[in-house]
Amino acid sequence: MPRPLHLHHAFAFLLVASACQRAPTPSSSLGATGIPPRRAPAFPAGWRLPAGEAAAFGEHFMIASNERRASDAGNEIIRAGGNAVDAAVAVGFALAVTYPVAGNVGGGGFMVIRMADGRAAAIDYREMAPLASSRDMYLDAQGNPTNESIVGYRASGVPGAVAGMAEALSKYGTMPLARVMEPAIRLARDGFTVDSSLSRSLTASRDYLTRFDAKDVFYTEGQALALGTTFKQPALARTLQLIADQGPKAFYGGEVGDSLVAAMQRGGGIITRQDLLNYKAEWRTPIRSTYRGYSLFTMPPASSGGITITETLNMLETWDTLPAFGSAAYAHVLASAYQRAFIDRNSKLADPKFVAVPIDQLTSKAYARALARTIDLTKKTPTPPNGSQIADGMHTTHYSVVDDKGNAVATTTTLNNGYGSAVYLKNVGFFMNDEMDDFATAPGKPNMFGLVQFEANAIAPGKRMLSAMSPSIVLDQKGELLLVVGAAGGPRIITATSQVILNVIDHRMNLSDAMRAPRLHHQALPDTLFYETGGLTQSAQDSLRVIGHGLRFIGASANVNAVMRVRGGWEGVSEPRSGGTGGTSAR
Ligand code: DON
């Protein structure tokens, strides 16, 4: 069989990478800011997001989210004297109004906080399986998963967003809930102008959403809200006002909750009043790790994000210097590390209340060294075969906030699928999540994201479904806040978030380039190396195929929003892949 000419180059690359695998040493040459100088990256010819674009800059503070008016809500709060937590909660509620595809009160999320005084915290407001749920509730008579975990009234877990945001605010914020909710209430009550991103999103989801009550609010005669319309949401404004006036109990026991439960009963859902009363946001200890002398604060279970990122970076740290960005060797090393970390993720991680998660072992440097030694630089290691496929979608939302005192908040929140279960509660004005699909609804079989998960993450009443959400905060080698980052994109949240971190730390890119750089993804199963279309040179592709990678090309990999410290202030970048309308707000 003819062998491609570049074969020897591929091996040479990979062997060079091998020679570099030694114990980590923190890099020296810090600039005056504690941030090593940035380097211009070389992206493949034809890559659609050119390097060298400017980021948004703020001398005092920066907010990066998927929607500018939501970021502006946080801006207003910081200008009024609030801190990053006040602002984050303002952004969260505003996203529920202006970014209904993922912003929510009917879903859940995770928030990592790092205060300028050094305190760090993580809050888990993930949805919980209702009491009436059961392990096999989404299986048909043949034992195959149905789509009831994705669409309709039975797909929802008990929402955590309101409890989580209120709890974060009460512990780390400085303002009353009613104050930080003001911008969101205004946006819902007085309306906001429908932009092309909302109009397009609704058009794309028309078939999904018009089967339930959203058809009367987001569509007129079957057509999505038109560009330029002022969109008012009186029912949502009223819900938000009740929460502002009465606190989370309006949602978890009061009028809003009663309306939610009544709608569930009408539609065949299983969330009860008792489920709402039982719901609590949980404070967790952040996963704290180091990478080449930088410190990371990430999200522990019920999210897999922090452990999977930490495990991956710990493996990569065994290379003194990683292979060059864009090389086959780099893609191979990265994909192999992700593959190993996802194998652990998919089998060992779950709600810690139900499953003993070996966090210390999985995040230890010694464990990562042992795993890294199993990476063969001349050959890809197979994951046992399985028919899973991955699905596109970026319907979660991450926002990063740094205030004028250096407090930082990373929050990721979701309804899971875009517009969640498609169930819109018209009396209270919000969409319900379909987070139940994040459980292993059929252990060993792929879910909506092609993730193959096992018994640890099976459904049980009161359990939180495993997430990939990865809100993360990075400090530089001097312990100063450097980067606040996280993403939407199902399992690709983990790979995209960690690649932005690698682009900043290893490849010394500035934030704009770090966000624009082509991304890859591997999640163990399907056993495929995914790469963004146009993001890998032909010769790197050929080399990867030679060593056994099944390569597949995908559209946008994930949706990241990040803030990074630079000389004299903060840079913010909202995901350049999502139309680039700019979701930053700063001063
Ligand atoms: O928690 C999780 O991991 C998922 N529910 C996130 C879903 C997501 O990012 C949707 N976009 N593809």
Side-chain angles (χ1 to χ4, degrees):
M1 206 174 72
R3 298 199 140 196
L5 275 179
H6 54 262
L7 176 66
H8 300 292
H9 294 298
F11 284 129
F13 259 142
L14 297 168
L15 292 171
V16 169
S18 157
C20 291
Q21 192 172 9
R22 285 196 303 272
T25 45
S27 76
S28 47
S29 80
L30 294 181
T33 53
I35 306 167
R38 303 291 93 191
R39 295 185 195 129
F43 297 157
W47 171 242
R48 65 187 188 281
L49 299 168
E53 299 285 313
F57 175 79
E59 194 182 334
H60 302 285
F61 63 82
M62 176 64 72
I63 298 155
S65 84
N66 281 118
E67 212 286 319
R68 189 187 42 77
R69 285 162 294 210
S71 292
D72 285 345
N75 189 319
E76 171 185 327
I77 291 299
I78 297 180
R79 281 175 197 255
N83 70 10
V85 179
D86 297 315
V89 175
V91 174
F93 279 109
L95 284 167
V97 180
T98 61
Y99 195 68
V101 65
N104 66 83
V105 292
F110 299 95
M111 185 183 284
V112 174
I113 298 169
R114 203 237 172 211
M115 303 300 283
D117 64 12
R119 285 176 297 159
I123 185 159
D124 172 337
Y125 48 101
R126 183 67 158 168
E127 296 90 328
M128 236 167 61
L131 290 169
S133 63
S134 58
R135 184 185 181 284
D136 298 332
M137 65 186 282
Y138 298 115
L139 302 185
D140 65 16
Q142 285 70 48
N144 293 316
T146 63
N147 74 352
E148 284 204 328
S149 62
I150 301 177
V151 195
Y153 286 82
R154 275 162 57 84
S156 300
V158 184
V162 173
M165 289 193 283
E167 178 63 26
L169 186 76
S170 71
K171 192 144 175 209
Y172 288 94
T174 65
M175 288 178 160
L177 186 60
R179 172 67 186 100
V180 301
M181 290 182 70
E182 272 172 25
I185 293 170
R186 245 178 11 239
L187 286 161
R189 186 191 57 216
D190 305 340
F192 63 93
T193 308
V194 174
D195 60 12
S196 56
S197 132
L198 177 58
S199 185
R200 266 203 309 265
S201 163
L202 291 170
T203 300
S205 299
R206 185 168 55 197
D207 293 345
Y208 192 61
L209 294 186
T210 50
R211 59 184 100 186
F212 300 111
D213 290 341
K215 66 177 181 306
D216 305 326
V217 175
F218 294 87
Y219 299 84
T220 349
E221 291 169 10
Q223 296 304 309
L225 294 170
L227 187 64
T229 327
T230 300
F231 179 43
K232 298 182 182 175
Q233 300 174 76
L236 179 57
R238 185 156 184 281
T239 290
L240 295 175
Q241 192 64 59
L242 285 168
I243 296 168
D245 295 343
Q246 300 169 12
K249 70 173 190 296
F251 192 95
Y252 294 96
E255 200 179 321
V256 181
D258 288 347
S259 180
L260 186 161
V261 169
M264 286 288 134
Q265 280 166 357
R266 283 194 301 274
I270 58 172
I271 296 176
T272 61
R273 191 154 202 278
Q274 193 57 47
D275 282 315
L276 292 176
L277 289 171
N278 286 353
Y279 189 85
K280 277 201 172 41
E282 302 278 357
W283 287 101
R284 312 267 190 211
T285 308
I287 304 281
R288 195 176 168 168
S289 58
T290 60
Y291 179 68
R292 303 191 195 280
Y294 292 75
S295 303
L296 265 81
F297 298 86
T298 54
M299 194 68 217
S303 184
S304 63
I307 293 179
T308 315
I309 287 179
T310 299
E311 207 178 313
T312 304
L313 293 183
N314 283 347
M315 278 183 253
L316 297 178
E317 199 185 43
T318 66
W319 272 263
D320 198 17
T321 309
L322 287 174
F325 184 87
S327 63
Y330 182 60
H332 174 61
V333 166
L334 221 58
S336 303
Y338 286 135
Q339 177 191 28
R340 282 155 179 76
F342 266 91
I343 288 173
D344 282 337
R345 178 212 181 273
N346 295 346
S347 56
K348 297 178 185 160
L349 305 192
D351 183 343
K353 203 163 160 191
F354 286 74
V355 172
V357 179
I359 298 186
D360 291 345
Q361 184 214 355
L362 295 177
T363 58
S364 84
K365 300 279 186 196
Y367 177 69
R369 272 196 299 278
L371 271 185
R373 277 197 290 272
T374 70
I375 299 176
D376 180 342
L377 293 163
T378 62
K379 195 158 94 279
K380 174 209 175 273
T381 325
T383 314
N386 169 284
S388 108
Q389 301 287 325
I390 63 163
D392 267 335
M394 301 191 290
H395 307 306
T396 290
T397 189
H398 173 85
Y399 51 99
S400 296
V401 182
V402 176
D403 68 19
D404 46 357
K405 296 160 198 80
N407 302 306
V409 178
T411 307
T412 316
T413 183
T414 193
L415 293 163
N416 197 20
N417 210 356
Y419 303 100
S421 63
V423 170
Y424 177 77
L425 307 180
K426 67 175 176 191
N427 293 336
V428 281
F430 57 87
F431 285 100
M432 287 295 288
N433 69 82
D434 58 349
E435 221 72 61
M436 291 298 279
D437 193 66
D438 274 351
F439 278 117
T441 57
K445 293 190 177 156
N447 76 353
M448 156 161 75
F449 302 113
L451 274 174
V452 180
Q453 311 177 95
F454 299 95
E455 285 300 332
N457 189 31
I459 302 174
K463 190 173 175 182
R464 292 167 192 230
M465 53 299 280
L466 187 64
S467 172
M469 290 188 271
S470 305
S472 302
I473 296 176
V474 181
L475 311 185
D476 69 15
Q477 294 173 329
K478 292 180 173 169
E480 297 292 319
L481 180 62
L482 176 65
L483 182 66
V484 186
V485 61
R492 297 185 223 166
I493 290 172
I494 292 171
T495 48
T497 301
S498 54
Q499 282 166 80
V500 172
I501 295 173
L502 290 165
N503 291 346
V504 166
I505 295 182
D506 289 84
H507 304 297
R508 305 255 178 114
M509 294 182 204
N510 63 37
L511 185 61
S512 171
D513 293 341
M515 294 279 290
R516 284 176 164 75
R519 299 175 188 146
L520 64 84
H521 177 72
H522 203 299
Q523 60 182 42
L525 287 172
D527 191 0
T528 304
L529 170 51
F530 296 92
Y531 224 104
E532 287 185 295
T533 305
L536 195 61
T537 62
Q538 188 61 47
S539 81
Q541 292 178 37
D542 294 343
S543 302
L544 286 164
R545 289 204 170 93
V546 165
I547 63 168
H549 283 284
L551 262 180
R552 266 198 32 212
F553 290 90
I554 53 177
S557 89
N559 190 315
V560 183
N561 293 307
V563 173
M564 181 171 158
R565 184 164 54 89
V566 291
R567 185 185 293 275
W570 303 94
E571 283 192 341
V573 179
S574 57
E575 179 56 61
R577 288 157 183 78
S578 75
T581 41
T584 61
S585 192
R587 198 185 88 173

